[in-house]
Amino acid sequence: MNPLGLLWLGVCLGLTSGCPADCDCHRKFSFQIADCAYRDLEAVPSGFLPNVTTLSLSANKLTGLGVAAFVEVPLLQSLWLAYNEISSVEPGALAVLSQVKSIDVSHNRLADFPWGDLHNLTALQLLKMDNNHLVALPQDAFLSLQALRSLQLNHNQFLTIAEGTFDALTSLSHLQINNNPFNCSCRLLWLKAWAEDTHVSIPERNSITCASPPSLQGVPLARLPPQRCTPPTARVSHHPSLDSAEVQEGWALALHCAASGHPQPQLQWRIQTPGGTVELRSPNVQRDGQALAGGPKHPRFLAFGNGSLVVPQFSRLEEGTYTCHAKNELGHAEGSVNVTLATAESPLEDLLVRKFQAKRGGGKGCSTMDNEVVPSGAEDNIVIIYLSGRGPQKDPS
């Protein structure tokens, strides 16, 4: 055969071999291996045969993984990407690897990750994500990984891990979470209890330490002192008592949300009126009732830092359901009252019977339902503002 023919044959063999020029491809036992490590690659090469089962791209200069990075290797079982410069992984890039059993993305620059891709990797047994910059871990990240045996999340930037994150990992036997800057608040106490009771091996436990709060900095999670942690409660009351008052249109309504819990709950009001729903973060005014900088000068609803809510000019436009939400890191609670304006044309007794199937509790100002009355919920606590037929009183002077 002439030299030109030999050259053409060599080119054809190269094109059909299914191995990129920068990789070494070979077969070992039943595995088709593509070794592309230590090649200074800046992108995932193309040209692989679809039967590749092991792909090593470690120790290159990859900076990102596109959505089509691994579409050529759907039968991949092992993917090694350690010691690159990967800072981004597009959603869907890993989801195509439904048969993969091992993934190593350790020693990269990942601050975020498409955790939803893991839901499709039900065969995954080993996941190494250590030595990155990961900061957030969704509670359902590992929901589909019942086959996962080893998980390495150490040397990242996780501040907390949500309770229940590891519940779905029924095959897990090895977990590394050391050297993260954990905030050892009430929200993380579950992890201490779980680590004490689990059969999972958790090495370097003394390196699972608190970075905050300052009083606990450097304290190992296993030696955390007892903390007073309680979920929030919330109850809405009205003040002053309206049981014997005639409160006329244009007068102020004052409600108070008595919230408790540790840590101290954050409050938010939701007000459902005929004109729509208003949501307020508390507070929206200063202690003296003056508007906060950047807000409206004359707020329609005044939410104070102590849990009080004042409606300076109450009218039919302010009728509705007033709900206080209290939330801390252990949960949330809410309390509600319904506020309605009664007029001379709509007597209090008729209003209660028609709207809430309740009986008047006495006085002209405020009536409440019997506890057994249906429906239950927010309607169990009703404030009726009674509008006198006389109208607002004027100063005789």
Side-chain angles (χ1 to χ4, degrees):
M1 183 178 292
N2 60 47
L4 183 61
L6 290 173
L7 177 63
W8 175 252
L9 178 62
V11 171
C12 290
L13 288 174
L15 290 176
T16 58
S17 65
C19 189
D22 291 320
C23 302
D24 176 22
C25 300
H26 59 280
R27 187 176 183 84
K28 185 175 182 180
F29 304 113
S30 61
F31 299 101
Q32 186 67 38
I33 300 172
D35 185 0
C36 310
Y38 297 94
R39 309 298 168 95
D40 290 330
L41 298 175
E42 297 181 358
V44 177
S46 60
F48 295 105
L49 287 176
N51 65 343
V52 171
T53 57
T54 300
L55 174 58
S56 176
L57 290 161
S58 298
N60 280 293
K61 297 180 180 179
L62 304 180
T63 59
L65 302 176
V67 68
F70 305 112
V71 293
E72 291 184 339
V73 287
L75 303 181
L76 204 63
Q77 296 184 25
S78 298
L79 176 61
W80 311 111
L81 293 160
Y83 293 97
N84 276 279
E85 301 170 11
I86 300 171
S87 60
S88 66
V89 180
E90 291 186 9
L94 300 175
V96 297
L97 304 177
S98 59
Q99 299 188 42
V100 72
K101 296 181 180 179
S102 304
I103 293 180
D104 183 357
V105 291
S106 63
H107 296 273
N108 277 284
R109 301 177 180 178
L110 289 170
D112 195 11
F113 186 79
W115 299 100
D117 280 18
L118 298 182
H119 294 172
N120 198 46
L121 310 187
T122 56
L124 195 62
Q125 298 179 11
L126 168 68
L127 179 58
K128 297 182 65 176
M129 308 184 79
D130 55 285
N131 289 276
N132 277 284
H133 308 297
L134 296 167
V135 296
L137 180 62
Q139 185 179 12
D140 64 348
F142 310 126
L143 192 62
S144 302
L145 305 187
Q146 284 81 14
L148 193 68
R149 297 178 182 177
S150 180
L151 174 61
Q152 298 182 24
L153 298 170
N154 49 298
H155 291 87
N156 275 287
Q157 297 298 314
F158 294 119
L159 299 180
T160 190
I161 297 177
E163 185 172 2
T165 298
F166 306 129
D167 287 356
L169 303 179
T170 53
S171 300
L172 191 66
S173 60
H174 178 86
L175 172 66
Q176 288 185 229
I177 54 174
N178 52 286
N179 294 96
N180 280 287
F182 286 126
N183 176 14
C184 294
S185 64
C186 294
R187 190 177 180 183
L188 198 67
L189 287 183
W190 76 272
L191 185 58
K192 175 188 176 183
W194 180 85
E196 291 172 350
D197 295 338
T198 186
H199 67 279
V200 177
S201 172
I202 307 177
E204 299 187 58
R205 294 200 181 205
N206 286 336
S207 296
I208 307 174
T209 59
C210 306
S212 60
S215 60
L216 295 175
Q217 187 173 8
V219 176
L221 183 69
R223 295 204 292 270
L224 273 182
Q227 298 187 48
R228 181 171 60 91
C229 300
T230 56
T233 63
R235 183 178 62 86
V236 176
S237 59
H238 54 86
H239 182 80
S241 174
L242 304 175
D243 287 342
S244 60
E246 290 185 353
V247 180
Q248 293 137 19
E249 187 170 17
W251 286 29
L253 168 69
L255 302 175
H256 182 72
C257 180
S260 64
H262 189 82
Q264 182 66 32
Q266 298 294 316
L267 301 185
Q268 183 172 350
W269 287 92
R270 186 181 70 238
I271 306 166
Q272 295 172 290
T273 69
T277 301
V278 178
E279 294 191 356
L280 300 173
R281 288 192 177 274
S282 181
N284 71 343
V285 293
Q286 302 176 47
R287 293 181 62 182
D288 59 2
Q290 297 298 313
L292 294 175
K297 292 184 178 180
H298 303 289
R300 182 181 174 192
F301 306 99
L302 310 181
F304 291 84
N306 66 352
S308 293
L309 179 75
V310 174
V311 185
Q313 298 289 325
F314 191 90
S315 69
R316 283 217 179 277
L317 296 177
E318 285 70 48
E319 286 186 322
T321 302
Y322 289 67
T323 303
C324 171
H325 293 267
K327 181 179 181 181
N328 67 12
E329 55 193 53
L330 297 178
H332 68 276
E334 64 179 43
S336 298
V337 294
N338 283 293
V339 184
T340 301
L341 188 69
T343 67
E345 293 77 20
S346 178
L348 186 57
E349 294 88 345
D350 294 343
L351 183 66
L352 287 170
V353 171
R354 184 175 69 255
K355 294 189 70 172
F356 306 109
Q357 300 179 356
K359 298 182 294 183
R360 183 170 180 180
K364 296 182 179 179
C366 178
S367 297
T368 58
M369 289 176 56
D370 293 336
N371 290 333
E372 295 79 16
V373 175
V374 177
S376 61
E379 289 80 13
D380 284 345
N381 196 357
I382 304 167
V383 177
I384 304 296
I385 294 185
Y386 182 76
L387 175 60
S388 170
R390 301 190 303 272
Q393 299 296 305
K394 296 181 179 180
D395 190 337
S397 61

